[in-house]
Coordinates of all heavy atoms in Angstrom, one line a residue:
F24 N 8.0 -15.4 -0.8 CA 6.8 -14.9 -1.5 C 5.6 -15.6 -0.8 O 5.6 -16.8 -0.6 CB 6.9 -15.3 -3.0 CG 5.8 -15.0 -3.9 CD1 4.9 -14.0 -3.6 CD2 5.5 -15.8 -5.0 CE1 3.9 -13.7 -4.5 CE2 4.5 -15.6 -5.8 CZ 3.6 -14.5 -5.6
E26 N 1.6 -15.7 -1.4 CA 0.5 -15.3 -2.3 C -0.8 -15.9 -1.7 O -0.9 -16.9 -1.1 CB 0.7 -15.9 -3.7 CG -0.5 -15.7 -4.7 CD -0.2 -15.9 -6.1 OE1 0.9 -16.4 -6.5 OE2 -1.1 -15.6 -7.0
M28 N -3.0 -17.9 -2.5 CA -3.1 -19.0 -3.4 C -3.1 -20.3 -2.6 O -2.2 -20.5 -1.7 CB -2.0 -19.0 -4.4 CG -1.9 -20.2 -5.3 SD -0.5 -20.1 -6.5 CE -0.8 -21.6 -7.4
G70 N 1.9 -12.4 -7.4 CA 1.3 -13.5 -8.1 C 0.1 -13.1 -8.9 O -0.4 -12.0 -9.0
N71 N -0.4 -14.1 -9.6 CA -1.5 -13.9 -10.5 C -2.7 -13.4 -9.7 O -3.6 -12.7 -10.2 CB -1.9 -15.3 -11.1 CG -0.7 -15.8 -12.0 OD1 0.1 -15.0 -12.4 ND2 -0.8 -17.1 -12.3
W96 N -7.0 -18.4 -9.4 CA -6.9 -19.7 -9.0 C -8.2 -20.4 -8.8 O -8.3 -21.5 -8.2 CB -6.1 -19.8 -7.7 CG -4.7 -19.1 -7.9 CD1 -4.3 -18.0 -7.3 CD2 -3.7 -19.5 -8.8 NE1 -3.1 -17.6 -7.7 CE2 -2.7 -18.6 -8.7 CE3 -3.5 -20.6 -9.7 CZ2 -1.5 -18.6 -9.4 CZ3 -2.4 -20.6 -10.4 CH2 -1.4 -19.7 -10.3
N171 N 2.0 -7.9 -11.9 CA 2.7 -9.2 -11.9 C 2.5 -9.9 -13.3 O 1.4 -9.9 -13.8 CB 2.0 -10.1 -10.9 CG 2.5 -11.6 -10.9 OD1 3.7 -11.8 -10.5 ND2 1.7 -12.5 -11.4
E172 N 3.6 -10.3 -13.8 CA 3.6 -11.1 -15.1 C 2.6 -10.6 -16.1 O 1.7 -11.3 -16.6 CB 3.3 -12.6 -14.8 CG 4.4 -13.2 -14.0 CD 4.4 -14.8 -13.8 OE1 3.3 -15.4 -14.2 OE2 5.4 -15.3 -13.4
W177 N -2.3 -15.8 -19.3 CA -3.1 -16.3 -18.2 C -3.4 -15.2 -17.2 O -4.2 -15.4 -16.3 CB -2.3 -17.4 -17.5 CG -1.0 -17.0 -17.0 CD1 -0.7 -16.3 -15.8 CD2 0.3 -17.0 -17.7 NE1 0.6 -16.0 -15.8 CE2 1.3 -16.4 -16.9 CE3 0.6 -17.6 -19.0 CZ2 2.6 -16.3 -17.3 CZ3 2.0 -17.5 -19.4 CH2 2.9 -16.9 -18.5
H241 N 11.4 -13.9 -13.6 CA 10.7 -15.0 -13.0 C 11.3 -16.3 -13.7 O 11.4 -16.3 -14.9 CB 9.2 -15.0 -13.2 CG 8.5 -14.0 -12.3 ND1 7.2 -13.9 -12.3 CD2 9.0 -13.0 -11.5 CE1 6.8 -12.9 -11.5 NE2 7.9 -12.4 -11.0
Y243 N 11.2 -20.7 -13.2 CA 11.0 -22.0 -12.5 C 11.7 -23.1 -13.2 O 11.5 -23.4 -14.4 CB 9.4 -22.3 -12.4 CG 8.7 -21.3 -11.5 CD1 7.9 -20.3 -12.0 CD2 8.8 -21.4 -10.1 CE1 7.2 -19.5 -11.2 CE2 8.1 -20.6 -9.3 CZ 7.3 -19.6 -9.8 OH 6.7 -18.7 -9.0
E291 N 10.4 -14.2 -8.5 CA 9.8 -15.5 -8.4 C 10.8 -16.5 -9.0 O 11.2 -16.4 -10.1 CB 8.5 -15.7 -9.2 CG 7.3 -15.1 -8.4 CD 6.0 -15.4 -9.1 OE1 5.9 -16.5 -9.7 OE2 5.2 -14.5 -9.2
W295 N 9.9 -26.1 -10.0 CA 8.5 -26.3 -10.1 C 8.2 -27.1 -11.4 O 8.2 -26.5 -12.4 CB 7.7 -25.0 -10.0 CG 6.2 -25.2 -10.2 CD1 5.5 -26.3 -9.9 CD2 5.3 -24.2 -10.6 NE1 4.1 -26.1 -10.2 CE2 4.0 -24.8 -10.6 CE3 5.4 -22.8 -11.0 CZ2 2.8 -24.1 -10.9 CZ3 4.3 -22.1 -11.3 CH2 3.0 -22.7 -11.3
I316 N -0.6 -26.9 -6.2 CA 0.8 -27.0 -6.5 C 1.7 -27.2 -5.2 O 2.7 -26.5 -5.0 CB 1.3 -25.8 -7.4 CG1 1.2 -24.4 -6.7 CG2 0.6 -25.8 -8.7 CD1 2.0 -23.3 -7.5
A348 N 9.9 -18.8 -4.6 CA 8.4 -18.8 -4.6 C 8.0 -20.3 -4.3 O 8.5 -21.1 -5.0 CB 7.9 -18.4 -5.9
Q349 N 7.1 -20.4 -3.3 CA 6.7 -19.4 -2.4 C 7.2 -19.7 -1.0 O 8.2 -20.5 -0.9 CB 5.2 -19.3 -2.4 CG 4.7 -18.9 -3.9 CD 3.2 -18.7 -4.0 OE1 2.5 -18.7 -3.0 NE2 2.7 -18.4 -5.2
I354 N 4.6 -24.6 -3.6 CA 6.0 -24.7 -4.1 C 6.9 -24.0 -3.0 O 7.7 -23.1 -3.4 CB 6.2 -24.1 -5.5 CG1 5.5 -22.8 -5.7 CG2 5.8 -25.1 -6.6 CD1 5.8 -22.1 -7.1
Ligands
AHR601 O1 4.0 -18.8 -7.9 C1 2.9 -19.3 -8.6 C2 2.5 -18.4 -9.7 O2 3.5 -18.5 -10.7 C3 2.4 -17.0 -9.5 O3 1.1 -16.6 -9.0 C4 2.6 -16.4 -10.8 O4 3.1 -15.1 -10.8 C5 3.5 -17.4 -11.5 O5 3.1 -17.6 -12.8

Side-chain angles (χ1 to χ4, degrees):
F24 176 30
E26 176 165 4
M28 174 181 183
N71 297 341
W96 304 115
N171 176 71
E172 296 190 348
W177 57 86
H241 289 184
Y243 289 107
E291 278 186 42
W295 176 22
I316 61 168
Q349 297 186 7
I354 46 175

